[in-house]
CSV table of all heavy atoms in Angstrom, one decimal:
chain,number,residue,atom,x,y,z
A,913,ALA,N,76.6,276.6,170.3
A,913,ALA,CA,76.4,278.0,170.3
A,913,ALA,C,77.5,278.7,169.5
A,913,ALA,O,77.2,279.7,168.8
A,913,ALA,CB,76.3,278.6,171.6
A,914,ASN,N,78.7,278.2,169.6
A,914,ASN,CA,79.9,278.8,169.0
A,914,ASN,C,80.4,278.1,167.7
A,914,ASN,O,81.5,278.3,167.3
A,914,ASN,CB,81.0,279.0,170.0
A,914,ASN,CG,80.7,280.0,171.0
A,914,ASN,OD1,81.0,281.2,170.8
A,914,ASN,ND2,80.2,279.6,172.2
A,915,ASP,N,79.5,277.2,167.2
A,915,ASP,CA,79.8,276.5,166.0
A,915,ASP,C,81.1,275.7,166.1
A,915,ASP,O,81.9,275.6,165.2
A,915,ASP,CB,79.9,277.5,164.8
A,915,ASP,CG,78.7,278.2,164.5
A,915,ASP,OD1,77.6,277.6,164.6
A,915,ASP,OD2,78.7,279.4,164.3
A,916,LEU,N,81.3,275.1,167.3
A,916,LEU,CA,82.4,274.2,167.5
A,916,LEU,C,82.0,272.7,167.5
A,916,LEU,O,80.8,272.4,167.8
A,916,LEU,CB,83.1,274.5,168.8
A,916,LEU,CG,83.7,276.0,168.9
A,916,LEU,CD1,84.1,276.2,170.4
A,916,LEU,CD2,84.8,276.2,168.0
A,917,PRO,N,82.9,271.8,167.1
A,917,PRO,CA,82.4,270.4,167.0
A,917,PRO,C,82.2,269.8,168.5
A,917,PRO,O,82.8,270.3,169.4
A,917,PRO,CB,83.7,269.7,166.4
A,917,PRO,CG,84.8,270.6,166.7
A,917,PRO,CD,84.3,272.0,166.7
A,918,ILE,N,81.4,268.8,168.6
A,918,ILE,CA,81.1,268.1,169.8
A,918,ILE,C,81.4,266.6,169.5
A,918,ILE,O,81.4,266.2,168.4
A,918,ILE,CB,79.7,268.3,170.3
A,918,ILE,CG1,78.7,267.7,169.3
A,918,ILE,CG2,79.5,269.8,170.7
A,918,ILE,CD1,77.3,267.7,169.9
A,919,GLN,N,81.7,265.9,170.6
A,919,GLN,CA,81.9,264.5,170.5
A,919,GLN,C,80.9,263.7,171.4
A,919,GLN,O,80.8,264.0,172.6
A,919,GLN,CB,83.3,264.1,170.9
A,919,GLN,CG,84.4,264.6,169.9
A,919,GLN,CD,85.7,264.1,170.3
A,919,GLN,OE1,86.0,263.8,171.4
A,919,GLN,NE2,86.6,264.1,169.3
A,920,VAL,N,80.2,262.8,170.8
A,920,VAL,CA,79.2,262.0,171.6
A,920,VAL,C,79.6,260.5,171.2
A,920,VAL,O,79.3,260.1,170.1
A,920,VAL,CB,77.8,262.3,171.2
A,920,VAL,CG1,76.9,261.4,172.1
A,920,VAL,CG2,77.5,263.8,171.6
A,921,SER,N,80.2,259.8,172.1
A,921,SER,CA,80.5,258.4,171.9
A,921,SER,C,79.4,257.4,171.9
A,921,SER,O,79.3,256.5,171.1
A,921,SER,CB,81.5,257.9,172.9
A,921,SER,OG,81.1,258.1,174.2
A,922,ASP,N,78.3,257.8,172.7
A,922,ASP,CA,77.2,256.9,172.9
A,922,ASP,C,76.0,257.8,173.2
A,922,ASP,O,75.8,258.2,174.3
A,922,ASP,CB,77.4,255.8,173.9
A,922,ASP,CG,76.3,254.8,174.0
A,922,ASP,OD1,75.2,255.0,173.3
A,922,ASP,OD2,76.4,253.9,174.8
A,923,SER,N,75.1,258.0,172.2
A,923,SER,CA,74.0,258.9,172.3
A,923,SER,C,72.9,258.4,173.3
A,923,SER,O,72.0,259.1,173.8
A,923,SER,CB,73.4,259.2,171.0
A,923,SER,OG,72.9,258.1,170.4
A,924,SER,N,73.0,257.1,173.6
A,924,SER,CA,72.0,256.5,174.5
A,924,SER,C,72.3,256.6,175.9
A,924,SER,O,71.4,256.2,176.8
A,924,SER,CB,71.8,255.0,174.1
A,924,SER,OG,72.9,254.2,174.5
A,925,VAL,N,73.5,257.1,176.3
A,925,VAL,CA,73.9,257.3,177.7
A,925,VAL,C,72.9,258.3,178.4
A,925,VAL,O,72.7,259.3,177.9
A,925,VAL,CB,75.3,257.8,177.8
A,925,VAL,CG1,75.6,258.2,179.3
A,925,VAL,CG2,76.3,256.7,177.3
A,926,GLU,N,72.3,257.8,179.5
A,926,GLU,CA,71.4,258.7,180.3
A,926,GLU,C,72.1,259.4,181.4
A,926,GLU,O,72.8,258.8,182.1
A,926,GLU,CB,70.3,257.8,180.8
A,926,GLU,CG,69.1,258.6,181.4
A,926,GLU,CD,68.0,257.7,181.9
A,926,GLU,OE1,68.1,257.1,182.9
A,926,GLU,OE2,66.9,257.8,181.1
A,927,LEU,N,71.8,260.7,181.5
A,927,LEU,CA,72.3,261.4,182.7
A,927,LEU,C,71.1,262.0,183.5
A,927,LEU,O,70.0,262.3,183.0
A,927,LEU,CB,73.0,262.8,182.1
A,927,LEU,CG,74.2,262.5,181.3
A,927,LEU,CD1,74.8,263.9,180.8
A,927,LEU,CD2,75.3,261.7,181.9
A,928,GLU,N,71.4,262.0,184.8
A,928,GLU,CA,70.4,262.7,185.7
A,928,GLU,C,70.9,264.1,185.9
A,928,GLU,O,72.1,264.3,186.3
A,928,GLU,CB,70.4,262.0,187.1
A,928,GLU,CG,69.3,262.7,188.0
A,928,GLU,CD,69.1,262.0,189.3
A,928,GLU,OE1,69.9,261.2,189.7
A,928,GLU,OE2,68.1,262.4,190.1
A,929,LEU,N,70.1,265.0,185.6
A,929,LEU,CA,70.5,266.4,185.5
A,929,LEU,C,69.8,267.3,186.5
A,929,LEU,O,68.6,267.1,186.6
A,929,LEU,CB,70.4,267.0,184.1
A,929,LEU,CG,71.2,266.3,183.0
A,929,LEU,CD1,70.8,266.7,181.6
A,929,LEU,CD2,72.7,266.6,183.2
A,930,LEU,N,70.5,268.2,187.1
A,930,LEU,CA,69.9,269.1,188.1
A,930,LEU,C,70.2,270.6,187.6
A,930,LEU,O,71.4,270.9,187.4
A,930,LEU,CB,70.4,268.9,189.5
A,930,LEU,CG,70.1,270.0,190.6
A,930,LEU,CD1,68.6,270.1,190.7
A,930,LEU,CD2,70.8,269.6,191.9
A,931,TYR,N,69.2,271.4,187.3
A,931,TYR,CA,69.2,272.7,186.8
A,931,TYR,C,69.6,273.6,188.0
A,931,TYR,O,69.1,273.5,189.1
A,931,TYR,CB,67.9,273.1,186.2
A,931,TYR,CG,67.9,274.5,185.5
A,931,TYR,CD1,68.9,274.9,184.6
A,931,TYR,CD2,66.9,275.4,185.8
A,931,TYR,CE1,68.9,276.0,184.0
A,931,TYR,CE2,66.9,276.6,185.2
A,931,TYR,CZ,67.9,276.9,184.3
A,931,TYR,OH,67.8,278.2,183.7
A,932,ILE,N,70.4,274.6,187.7
A,932,ILE,CA,71.0,275.5,188.7
A,932,ILE,C,69.9,276.2,189.5
A,932,ILE,O,70.0,276.4,190.7
A,932,ILE,CB,72.1,276.4,188.2
A,932,ILE,CG1,72.8,277.2,189.3
A,932,ILE,CG2,71.4,277.4,187.2
A,932,ILE,CD1,73.5,276.3,190.2
A,933,ASP,N,68.9,276.6,188.8
A,933,ASP,CA,67.8,277.4,189.5
A,933,ASP,C,67.0,276.5,190.5
A,933,ASP,O,66.5,277.0,191.5
A,933,ASP,CB,66.8,278.1,188.6
A,933,ASP,CG,67.5,279.3,187.8
A,933,ASP,OD1,68.7,279.5,188.0
A,933,ASP,OD2,66.7,280.0,187.0
A,934,ASP,N,66.9,275.2,190.1
A,934,ASP,CA,66.2,274.3,191.0
A,934,ASP,C,67.0,274.0,192.1
A,934,ASP,O,66.5,273.9,193.3
A,934,ASP,CB,65.9,273.0,190.2
A,934,ASP,CG,64.9,273.2,189.1
A,934,ASP,OD1,63.9,274.0,189.3
A,934,ASP,OD2,65.0,272.6,188.0
A,935,LEU,N,68.3,274.0,192.0
A,935,LEU,CA,69.3,273.8,193.1
A,935,LEU,C,69.2,274.9,194.0
A,935,LEU,O,69.1,274.8,195.3
A,935,LEU,CB,70.7,273.6,192.6
A,935,LEU,CG,71.8,273.1,193.5
A,935,LEU,CD1,73.0,272.6,192.8
A,935,LEU,CD2,72.4,274.3,194.3
A,936,ILE,N,69.3,276.1,193.5
A,936,ILE,CA,69.2,277.3,194.3
A,936,ILE,C,67.9,277.5,195.1
A,936,ILE,O,67.9,277.9,196.3
A,936,ILE,CB,69.5,278.6,193.4
A,936,ILE,CG1,70.8,278.6,192.7
A,936,ILE,CG2,69.4,279.9,194.3
A,936,ILE,CD1,72.0,278.3,193.6
A,937,ASP,N,66.9,277.1,194.5
A,937,ASP,CA,65.5,277.2,195.2
A,937,ASP,C,65.6,276.2,196.4
A,937,ASP,O,65.1,276.5,197.5
A,937,ASP,CB,64.4,276.7,194.2
A,937,ASP,CG,64.0,277.9,193.3
A,937,ASP,OD1,64.3,279.1,193.6
A,937,ASP,OD2,63.2,277.6,192.4
A,938,GLU,N,66.2,275.0,196.2
A,938,GLU,CA,66.3,274.1,197.3
A,938,GLU,C,67.2,274.7,198.4
A,938,GLU,O,67.0,274.5,199.6
A,938,GLU,CB,66.8,272.7,196.8
A,938,GLU,CG,67.1,271.8,197.9
A,938,GLU,CD,65.9,271.3,198.7
A,938,GLU,OE1,64.7,271.5,198.2
A,938,GLU,OE2,66.1,270.8,199.9
A,939,MET,N,68.3,275.4,198.1
A,939,MET,CA,69.1,276.0,199.0
A,939,MET,C,68.4,277.0,199.8
A,939,MET,O,68.6,277.1,201.1
A,939,MET,CB,70.3,276.6,198.4
A,939,MET,CG,71.3,275.7,197.6
A,939,MET,SD,72.0,274.4,198.6
A,939,MET,CE,70.9,273.0,198.4
A,940,ILE,N,67.5,277.9,199.2
A,940,ILE,CA,66.8,278.8,199.9
A,940,ILE,C,65.7,278.0,200.9
A,940,ILE,O,65.5,278.4,202.0
A,940,ILE,CB,66.0,279.7,199.0
A,940,ILE,CG1,67.0,280.4,198.0
A,940,ILE,CG2,65.2,280.8,199.8
A,940,ILE,CD1,68.1,281.2,198.6
A,941,HIS,N,65.2,277.0,200.4
A,941,HIS,CA,64.3,276.2,201.3
A,941,HIS,C,65.1,275.6,202.5
A,941,HIS,O,64.6,275.7,203.6
A,941,HIS,CB,63.8,274.9,200.5
A,941,HIS,CG,62.6,275.3,199.6
A,941,HIS,ND1,61.4,275.8,200.1
A,941,HIS,CD2,62.4,275.1,198.3
A,941,HIS,CE1,60.5,275.9,199.1
A,941,HIS,NE2,61.1,275.6,198.0
A,942,ALA,N,66.3,275.2,202.2
A,942,ALA,CA,67.2,274.7,203.3
A,942,ALA,C,67.4,275.9,204.3
A,942,ALA,O,67.4,275.7,205.5
A,942,ALA,CB,68.5,274.2,202.8
C-alpha cells in the first residue's frame, strides 16, 4: 500500500489465516 519492498523467500508456503471480524464474531458467540 505504501510502495515499500516486500520479501518472500518461498511463495509456496501455506498459511492458515483467521480474519479479525470472524474472530470477533466467534467471541460474541462465546
Side-chain angles (χ1 to χ4, degrees):
N914 289 276
D915 300 317
L916 299 172
I918 62 170
Q919 292 184 338
V920 180
S921 56
D922 185 352
S923 61
S924 68
V925 170
E926 186 179 74
L927 300 178
E928 182 179 10
L929 296 169
L930 172 57
Y931 184 52
I932 189 61
D933 286 8
D934 295 321
L935 187 160
I936 299 307
D937 279 348
E938 174 63 20
M939 295 301 95
I940 305 302
H941 279 300

